[in-house]
């Protein structure tokens, strides 16, 4: 079992829809959770981080954390074609990264 | 503010050689972490330095080493290169004092081993 698991996708959603990206982790000692966006040929860019159970909203992005279920998700509302990228989930303090979910937003 | 910079951006080496990669963090960031990214394995953590001390280490062989200088700049060294070391090497810097927070990534160094 990998430390951080994500569906590799590809996930396709129409423009304006909600994209839901999921991540599970195995180490109950994980404390902080990060979502990165990586465009093809570019380096990862931090979108959001979350420490506490519940939801955290930042603009069109909402991160959700459930430590009991060892589950973290990222919702992207009003998806835009510019959101098309690979989304990486990361956990600390172990520096574990998932292999990413490829998202395509169809105009 | 200036972002994380990495040099060189591209490197071609042959098996058995060694290589040194450099990372300059965002001003004021004391944590620097290094990663190897390949299509098959994704992003894998190599090590993290904080105030010139290695604070965390991933599961890579001893051929991979690093260090951090007093100005927080960091170098990564790979000795006795193997074909499988071909990858994108990324560093990230963070302003957090807490371990395990990657922070902002640099553009990466693309290493090709022939």
């Amino acid at each position: 079992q990998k430390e951080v698991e994500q569906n590799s996708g590809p996930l396709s959603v129409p423009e304006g829809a909600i994209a839901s990206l999921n991540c599970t982790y195995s180490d109950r000692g994980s404390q902080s959770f990060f979502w990165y966006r990586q465009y093809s040929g570019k380096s990862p860019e931090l979108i959001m981080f979350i420490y506490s159970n519940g939801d955290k909203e930042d603009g069109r992005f909402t991160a959700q954390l459930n430590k009991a279920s060892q589950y973290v998700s990222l919702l992207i509302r009003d998806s835009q074609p510019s959101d098309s990228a690979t989304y990486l989930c990361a956990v600390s303090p172990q520096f574990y990264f998932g292999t990413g979910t490829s998202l395509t937003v169809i105009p | 503010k200036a972002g994380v910079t990495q040099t060189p951006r591209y490197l071609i080496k042959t098996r058995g050689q060694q290589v040194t990669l450099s990372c300059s963090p965002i001003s004021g960031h004391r944590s620097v972490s290094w990663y190897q990214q390949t299509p098959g394995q994704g992003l894998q953590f190599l090590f993290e330095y904080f105030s010139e001390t290695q604070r965390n280490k991933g599961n890579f062989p001893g051929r991979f080493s690093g260090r951090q200088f007093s100005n927080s700049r960091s170098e990564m060294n790979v000795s006795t290169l193997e074909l499988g070391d071909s990858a994108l090497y990324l560093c990230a810097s963070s302003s957090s004092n807490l371990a395990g927070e990657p922070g902002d990534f640099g553009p990466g160094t693309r290493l090709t081993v022939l």
Side-chain angles (χ1 to χ4, degrees):
Chain A
Q1 180 188 8
K2 293 186 177 179
E3 293 86 0
V4 178
E5 301 216 38
Q6 298 179 252
N7 284 333
S8 60
L11 173 66
S12 294
V13 300
E15 183 175 355
I18 295 176
S20 178
L21 305 165
N22 304 314
C23 171
T24 58
Y25 60 95
S26 61
D27 192 332
R28 287 195 174 273
S30 300
Q31 297 169 0
S32 305
F33 306 85
F34 305 85
W35 283 100
Y36 283 84
R37 176 176 62 198
Q38 187 171 25
Y39 293 113
S40 181
K42 301 292 185 181
S43 57
E45 172 192 10
L46 180 65
I47 299 175
M48 290 193 70
F49 57 87
I50 186 168
Y51 303 126
S52 305
N53 277 329
D55 295 358
K56 179 182 178 182
E57 188 175 315
D58 184 1
R60 296 187 296 112
F61 299 97
T62 299
Q64 299 174 317
L65 174 61
N66 184 324
K67 289 187 176 181
S69 300
Q70 296 176 246
Y71 174 93
V72 59
S73 65
L74 178 70
L75 301 178
I76 306 174
R77 290 183 301 281
D78 188 24
S79 294
Q80 301 298 308
S82 58
D83 295 326
S84 298
T86 296
Y87 289 80
L88 302 170
C89 170
V91 304
S92 79
Q94 304 91 341
F95 288 100
Y96 294 146
F97 277 77
T99 52
T101 297
S102 175
L103 172 66
T104 299
V105 180
I106 303 167
Chain B
K1 63 181 179 182
V4 179
T5 59
Q6 292 186 245
T7 57
R9 293 293 310 278
Y10 301 92
L11 208 48
I12 299 175
K13 292 286 188 179
T14 56
R15 280 182 299 173
Q17 288 187 309
Q18 75 166 17
V19 66
T20 299
L21 311 181
S22 180
C23 173
S24 293
I26 292 171
S27 179
H29 287 193
R30 294 162 64 190
S31 168
V32 174
S33 51
W34 287 89
Y35 306 83
Q36 181 194 69
Q37 188 171 36
T38 59
Q41 297 296 319
L43 203 62
Q44 292 185 284
F45 169 67
L46 283 155
F47 28 67
E48 185 221 4
Y49 286 87
F50 183 84
S51 293
E52 301 180 66
T53 300
Q54 188 179 87
R55 188 160 64 173
N56 285 288
K57 188 177 187 304
N59 295 321
F60 276 80
R63 300 185 297 109
F64 293 82
S65 63
R67 60 177 175 169
Q68 186 180 33
F69 302 96
S70 58
N71 62 358
S72 294
R73 189 178 71 84
S74 178
E75 288 183 346
M76 188 192 95
N77 184 276
V78 187
S79 63
T80 319
L81 284 165
E82 300 178 359
L83 295 178
D85 296 334
S86 294
L88 179 66
Y89 289 88
L90 293 158
C91 79
S93 75
S94 171
S95 59
S96 173
N97 292 331
L98 299 177
E101 301 196 5
D104 300 293
F105 280 85
T109 294
R110 174 73 62 184
L111 171 64
T112 301
V113 181
L114 302 176

